[in-house]
Amino acid sequence: MTADNPAPQGPAPQGPALHDPAAHPRPAPRRATAPRRVLPAALVLALAAAGTACDAMSNEPERYSQACGVVVDGSGSAVDAKTGFDAEAKLEARLDTFLKDRKCRKTSFAPITKVSMASKCQVSPLDLDPDGSKTSDRDRTRKALRTVALSSAHKLLECAKKQEPGSDVLGGLSRIALTKPSGDDASFDVLVVSDFDQGDPDFRLGRQDLSTEASREKTADDFLKSHGTPELSGADIYPVGYGMKYHTDTSRYEQFNAFWTEVLERRMKAHVHTDYR
């Protein structure tokens, strides 16, 4: 080849361009990773404590709220004899069960004596499920306080036995009615340890004519007019020892029961139950 005849110039050799992005792709950028959040130790402890508190609350026994009354008859028929209803034994057998069954909290006491409203016998009301921080001991506390309630009832009974002979049952009901919660719908459970043989200076049930419905209604009218009607409307009354004087005389018991049904349910508007008789 000479200068006059230069070699033919062909196209440049084909190959990848050194700076072609398609030929030399860059690696994809690494996605930033969010930093892990670490809870402060104090927050971890607080959450754990909250969980423990919730567990404790869920395991806490349901609180009691029922208002209750206990009426004890210290008349001559309360003795431990064939003619008596043995009030002391009835208290031992029934009071703890009543307080537990009815879930009693505030519990008040009243005596039955010759003139119950004026009787000097009294014991203080009790809170049988008081507020406290040791929830795990609540059942134990309730049991201990029910024992205190039984002791208080025995103390009231002993005082009533020392009073002049007599049995003003309606007066005892009037006295416990003073502790009934206010409001028409306020619930009140009352245990009455008595044979219900009313015998006060102005009225002796055994001398009344209870043979017919009409005579019982008249007797109830006179009785409540002279003694007053206890404010126990809507209350639940649980007698213990009721009518024991007539347990061998069916006819007399039926008249006796019809009279008190007239007084307690129709006139006083209370509800009478036989759970603990």
Side-chain angles (χ1 to χ4, degrees):
M1 297 182 185
T2 65
D4 295 331
N5 297 290
Q9 299 295 318
Q14 297 299 313
L18 294 177
H19 301 291
D20 186 352
H24 297 281
R26 293 181 181 179
R30 298 180 62 185
R31 181 175 297 176
T33 303
R36 296 179 62 189
R37 298 181 64 183
V38 179
L39 294 176
L43 181 55
V44 173
L45 292 176
L47 291 173
T52 302
C54 289
D55 290 342
M57 291 178 64
S58 64
N59 292 329
E60 181 182 359
E62 179 185 356
R63 298 301 302 276
Y64 290 170
S65 60
Q66 181 63 34
C68 295
V70 180
V71 182
V72 293
D73 188 342
S75 65
S77 58
V79 298
D80 178 14
K82 290 182 179 180
T83 57
F85 64 92
D86 198 350
E88 186 172 349
K90 293 292 188 297
L91 278 175
E92 289 286 343
R94 300 288 187 265
L95 182 57
D96 184 83
T97 302
F98 166 78
L99 296 173
K100 187 175 181 179
D101 287 350
R102 310 319 305 165
K103 298 183 179 180
C104 296
R105 184 166 184 179
K106 182 182 178 182
T107 302
S108 303
F109 303 83
I112 293 174
T113 60
K114 182 179 180 179
V115 185
S116 300
M117 284 294 289
S119 175
K120 67 178 183 179
C121 298
Q122 62 180 352
V123 293
S124 300
L126 292 172
D127 183 346
L128 302 183
D129 190 18
D131 296 332
S133 59
K134 295 184 177 180
T135 57
S136 60
D137 293 334
R138 190 167 299 283
D139 283 337
R140 183 182 300 177
T141 300
R142 290 169 178 167
K143 183 177 181 180
L145 287 170
R146 289 198 301 271
T147 301
V148 175
L150 179 60
S151 177
S152 294
H154 277 302
K155 179 180 178 180
L156 190 65
L157 176 62
E158 290 306 311
C159 178
K161 285 180 176 180
K162 295 175 183 177
Q163 307 307 303
E164 291 184 59
S167 181
D168 179 16
V169 179
L170 199 69
L173 293 175
S174 294
R175 186 157 165 175
I176 202 65
L178 298 176
T179 68
K180 182 181 183 291
S182 59
D184 294 337
D185 59 346
S187 180
F188 192 43
D189 291 341
V190 183
L191 187 77
V192 185
V193 182
S194 172
D195 61 359
F196 279 73
D197 187 25
Q198 179 84 19
D200 66 84
D202 300 317
F203 184 92
R204 295 188 67 84
L205 187 59
R207 297 177 181 175
Q208 307 301 317
D209 178 12
L210 305 178
S211 59
T212 67
E213 182 177 354
S215 65
R216 289 191 293 269
E217 288 182 356
K218 183 181 184 306
T219 301
D221 287 338
D222 296 341
F223 182 40
L224 295 176
K225 183 178 180 179
S226 62
H227 289 68
T229 303
E231 296 295 333
L232 289 173
S233 177
D236 292 280
I237 297 177
Y238 297 84
V240 181
Y242 179 87
M244 290 190 67
K245 180 178 180 180
Y246 306 107
H247 70 280
T248 59
D249 190 336
T250 303
S251 177
R252 289 293 302 278
Y253 175 81
E254 289 176 350
Q255 295 176 18
F256 164 90
N257 184 55
F259 169 78
W260 278 112
T261 298
E262 177 71 26
V263 171
L264 297 173
E265 297 190 340
R266 295 193 179 95
R267 307 298 180 93
M268 287 170 46
K269 307 301 182 183
H271 310 295
V272 181
H273 305 270
T274 60
D275 301 49
Y276 306 102
R277 285 191 189 177

